[in-house]
Amino acid sequence: MTLEELTRKLDQAGAVVADKRLKIDFGLDGAIMLDGMAGRVSNTADEPADTVVSISWADWMAVAAGTLDPMSAYMKGRLRIQGEMGPAMQLQALFAKLRPSNGR
């Protein structure tokens, strides 16, 4: 999956935190802004955010797939959070929107 594909998938799923701006920063691989103020998801890296989650692209994909526990990634320093903690805590719900429902 590419950054653009992930951005589109999150946008289609309405994966935003109401009234908050959460940026997921993948370092050199780019960033995604989950803009709950505007109700959209974009891959704009230069906008301010209430919360910034920094994680490598590979670790993000592992967390999204369920093969890396987000709390373990945080405790090991592979996932860092700056700003408000509340929006970051809602990422679990965003991961659920990314996973296929397996017919359920």
Side-chain angles (χ1 to χ4, degrees):
M1 179 178 297
T2 67
L3 182 68
E4 290 77 20
E5 290 169 335
L6 177 60
T7 302
R8 188 171 40 258
K9 190 171 186 176
L10 287 169
D11 193 43
Q12 290 171 347
V16 297
V17 176
D19 300 321
K20 297 293 179 183
R21 300 183 82 212
L22 187 145
K23 184 187 312 186
I24 304 170
D25 185 351
F26 303 109
L28 296 176
D29 292 314
I32 293 178
M33 176 67 75
L34 309 176
D35 191 340
M37 304 298 283
R40 66 180 171 83
V41 178
S42 66
N43 52 2
T44 305
D46 294 334
E47 297 180 30
D50 300 299
T51 303
V52 177
V53 175
S54 300
I55 186 170
S56 73
W57 180 256
D59 284 345
W60 168 268
M61 295 306 290
V63 169
T67 58
L68 175 63
D69 177 63
M71 186 56 73
S72 293
Y74 178 76
M75 298 302 279
K76 293 177 181 177
R78 294 168 66 178
L79 182 152
R80 294 177 309 285
I81 300 169
Q82 294 176 316
E84 295 180 27
M85 199 63 152
M89 299 304 290
Q90 295 183 39
L91 282 176
Q92 286 287 51
L94 302 181
F95 293 136
K97 290 182 179 191
L98 292 176
R99 292 189 187 114
S101 63
N102 296 325
R104 289 183 262 174

